[in-house]
Amino acid sequence: MPRTVGVRATVRDIAAETGLSIATVSRVLNGAANVAPHTRDLVLQAVHRRGDKAPLRRGELPPASGAVYVRCPYVLTDYFGLIVSSIAETIELHGRQMVLNAGEAAQSAAVLPTLADRPDVAGAILILPPESPDDLVRLRDQQFPFVVIDPRTLAPKDIVTVSAAHFAGARRLMSHLVELGHRRVGIIGGPPEWLANDARMAGYVAPLADAGVLPTPELVRHVNEPNTDNGYRAAGELLDLPDRPTALVAFNDKMAVGALAAAHERGLRVPQDLSIAGFDDIDVSRATTPMLTTVRQPLQEMGRMAVTMLMRLLDRHTLEAVHVSLGTELVIRDSTAPAPTR
């Protein structure tokens, strides 16, 4: 059969010609091992018939070809916005384009199953992906390069991730409160299924245990949406206890702002009557009265590091450090003080 002449075929064209799925054709073109020999031959014969107009295999792509797909299915606030902005700036330095998938509506979009079939996309950065670990494994098995920033759940050991040192940051914050004499500390945690929440909770509990204080369930609240309103509600429940805490630590700065409002509503002075601390060190932590003690996450560096690691994957370099955890910093401001005497 003569070779086809015309525009370059797509993976979808080869799939239609052979009767195979797009994912199967993509696996063959990407050199995956988990393909039956007769299936591989069928695809390669179709590619040969296409000649110069056949879709390029991923390994044949020129070094600077293909965009980076950035998935951040959340509102681009000062938290996610900082990460995405640093990613965009770093991608541009590498001479590539960025395709952005953002906004809460994007959470329900089935993006991952089709990423490996997109000829215009070379790799991806997934920020706090809502997809299951199985979905990430399937994408990995298609030999599609991607990096996860702040994985929501524990990622398989061979999937590249970048996150902050959640445990160390939370431990340093609680150690600060323990040093100030606080022993009855209320903890407002984030979504219980998030990996970051588990790490921070462990970090909060450790210094209290060192001081001989065992964690008590009545002083812990978890919220599914870590925002100001939920921080206000959770803090209110803790402050209305017969024996209220002398300090509150929140999963993030936004919930700490809600805790400040709950304290003010009850006539409590911060930090004289109650210490409050957050996590992240976003702009709002410096806009409150008093300004918040918090833990600074290297949000922009997380974005830059993710791009750097993705570029190494695209250049087929071996990564010795697959799970990178960047250091955090305790920022002490005006919202924490020695525990009040009772």
Side-chain angles (χ1 to χ4, degrees), residues 77 160 170 193 222 239 284:
T77 59
V160 181
E193 71 275 9
H222 287 284
L239 296 177
V284 72

Side-chain angles (χ1 to χ4, degrees), residues 47 50 61-62 121 149 154 182 227 240 242 271:
V47 168
R50 294 277 178 172
L61 290 172
V121 172
I149 294 181
L154 187 64
H182 294 278
N227 55 36
D240 289 340

Side-chain angles (χ1 to χ4, degrees), residues 50-176:
R50 294 277 178 172
D52 293 338
K53 303 305 177 183
L56 291 174
R57 304 185 191 191
R58 191 169 298 283
E60 297 171 346
L61 290 172
S65 69
V68 175
Y69 192 95
V70 178
R71 176 160 164 78
C72 183
Y74 309 95
V75 177
L76 297 184
T77 59
D78 43 6
Y79 179 90
F80 291 111
L82 286 172
I83 297 175
V84 172
S85 295
S86 67
I87 290 173
E89 292 168 358
T90 311
I91 287 173
E92 186 174 2
L93 291 176
H94 286 274
R96 290 183 183 265
Q97 300 295 315
M98 181 177 83
V99 177
L100 178 61
N101 173 255
E104 291 182 342
Q107 292 187 19
S108 59
V111 170
L112 301 195
T114 61
L115 266 183
D117 297 326
R118 293 188 55 164
D120 61 320
V121 172
I125 295 175
L126 311 176
I127 304 172
L128 194 63
E131 290 83 4
S132 71
D134 290 341
D135 292 326
L136 298 178
V137 168
R138 281 190 285 271
L139 187 60
R140 177 206 63 191
D141 290 346
Q142 292 178 288
Q143 297 189 342
F144 181 79
F146 68 97
V147 175
V148 177
I149 294 181
D150 208 8
R152 183 178 291 203
T153 56
L154 187 64
K157 63 180 181 179
D158 54 350
I159 287 179
V160 181
T161 66
V162 178
S163 61
H166 298 290
F167 174 85
R171 179 167 188 154
R172 184 68 191 90
L173 174 58
M174 187 62 79
S175 294
H176 165 66

Side-chain angles (χ1 to χ4, degrees), residues 181-223:
H182 294 278
R183 296 296 183 271
R184 189 165 174 81
V185 181
I187 301 174
I188 307 174
E193 71 275 9
W194 284 15
L195 186 64
N197 179 71
D198 290 344
R200 293 181 195 179
M201 290 296 295
Y204 291 142
V205 168
L208 289 172
D210 292 341
V213 178
L214 296 177
T216 170
E218 73 168 351
L219 288 178
V220 178
R221 297 293 186 277
H222 287 284
V223 301

